[in-house]
Amino acid sequence: MSFQNLLLEQPEPGVYLLTLNRPQALNALNAATLDELTRAIAQVAGDAGARVLLVTGAGEKAFVAGADITEMQALSAEQAQAFSASGMRVMHALEALPVPVIALVNGYALGGGCELAMACDWIIASDRAVFGQPEVNLGIPPGFGGTQRLSRLVGRARALELVTTARQVKADEALAIGLVTRVVAAAELREAGLVVARSIAAKGPVAVRLAKQAVQHGQDLDLANACVYETSLFALAFATADQKEGMRAFVEKRVPRFCGE
Ligand code: DAK
């Protein structure tokens, strides 16, 4: 599958690396890029061998500097609705991927870029990363789920402060407020992502998927029901070859050979 504004590579077995690749516009999301993202995510979703997806931006400066303002300024209401639907689809599709999705934020993650990063399962930031929801500067509120995902990640008060002031947050503050899980030197970001991806790819694939499913869907339930949900997924794992292999390998003191079934 070929793309104009993205690169989709498989640097290692089971590991996909998706790069937003419009560095001349700081990787801003235009309609064509959103369409390509939908196709790229569908490709990963359709690969039973996929274990993890890393998402990053091309160039030194930006992860994604937001939705493409040049393109957006001329949208009719009808086109704005299509654009919005397309952006929402991308965020939901990313979240719905059964494998872990990690954003490697290498620079500006603003507006739709911050929203894209937050739709990933977690964020590793370079020390040059800058996060923000500057939409109010343009006379619009965030529109790709930013108000909702930011408040769930950093809490209502911090989210409101950031969304209403458009204040930008550097990597160290993003770490302190729980927006990112880790900060690494810019030159080490890709390798840091690959190390985590490799570690996930070596685990029981079904177990990883079930764990993601439990965390993701369980958080929308009350604790008692979420624990019932977890129990059913836990029991399901005992119907897999991977559970047999994982435990047999432990008893036999060897490395497990998971088949993903
Ligand atoms: N869109 C289009 N082009 C952009 C861009 C963007 N968001 N951000 C940067 N660029 C382009 C610049 O225009 C410039 O292009 P040339 O002039 O070279 O042709 C090039 O990238 C380099 O940018 P700068 O020259 O500005 O670089 P600086 O280092 O000086 O500044 C910056 C970097 C990131 C601080 C600055 O570029 C900046 O403030 N960019 C805009 C950031 C921003 O406001 N982002 C939020 C966009 S609004 C919706 C749902 C969601 C959304 C919209 C609608 N619906 C429900 C309908 C989402 C909205 C947003 O994301």
Side-chain angles (χ1 to χ4, degrees), residues 10-199:
Q10 247 188 294
E12 295 179 16
V15 179
Y16 278 94
L17 175 64
L18 175 61
T19 305
L20 280 292
N21 191 28
R22 290 181 75 213
Q24 72 283 4
L26 303 190
N27 306 320
L29 300 172
N30 59 8
T33 307
L34 290 175
D35 285 347
E36 291 189 4
L37 276 168
T38 302
R39 287 199 283 125
I41 295 165
Q43 184 177 332
V44 177
D47 179 357
R51 298 288 175 261
V52 56
L53 171 64
L54 304 171
V55 183
T56 195
E60 304 271 287
K61 234 168 148 176
F63 173 70
V64 171
D68 191 310
I69 301 169
T70 317
E71 187 180 88
M72 242 186 337
Q73 64 170 341
L75 293 185
S76 66
E78 199 180 351
Q79 288 167 326
Q81 192 179 28
F83 183 72
S84 168
S86 173
M88 286 293 193
R89 220 172 15 245
V90 166
M91 307 301 159
H92 290 314
L94 259 188
E95 237 165 21
L97 274 176
V99 297
V101 181
I102 307 168
L104 303 179
V105 174
N106 53 309
Y108 288 109
L110 301 176
C114 190
E115 291 168 309
L116 183 72
M118 292 189 294
C120 298
D121 292 316
W122 68 92
I123 302 172
I124 302 177
S126 101
D127 52 10
R128 293 197 199 135
V130 178
F131 298 84
Q133 296 290 159
E135 286 89 341
V136 290
N137 290 333
L138 302 168
I140 54 173
F144 289 156
T147 58
Q148 302 312 305
R149 290 193 180 89
L150 188 59
S151 53
R152 281 162 173 75
L153 277 169
V154 306
R156 177 175 176 270
R158 281 199 179 102
L160 266 172
E161 187 236 328
L162 295 177
V163 164
T164 57
T165 62
R167 184 169 72 81
Q168 296 183 2
V169 165
K170 292 189 179 153
D172 53 352
E173 186 179 352
L175 181 65
I177 65 176
L179 180 54
V180 310
T181 60
R182 225 171 115 200
V183 179
V184 300
E188 288 160 23
L189 183 62
R190 180 188 153 105
E191 186 51 29
L194 285 173
V195 167
V196 179
R198 233 170 262 147
S199 139

Side-chain angles (χ1 to χ4, degrees), residues 212-237:
K212 172 168 174 172
Q213 204 177 323
V215 171
Q216 204 166 39
H217 299 301
Q219 71 186 1
D220 295 328
L221 303 173
D222 62 78
L223 185 59
N225 280 307
C227 287
V228 171
Y229 182 58
E230 185 188 88
T231 300
S232 62
L233 295 179
F234 179 78
L236 196 59

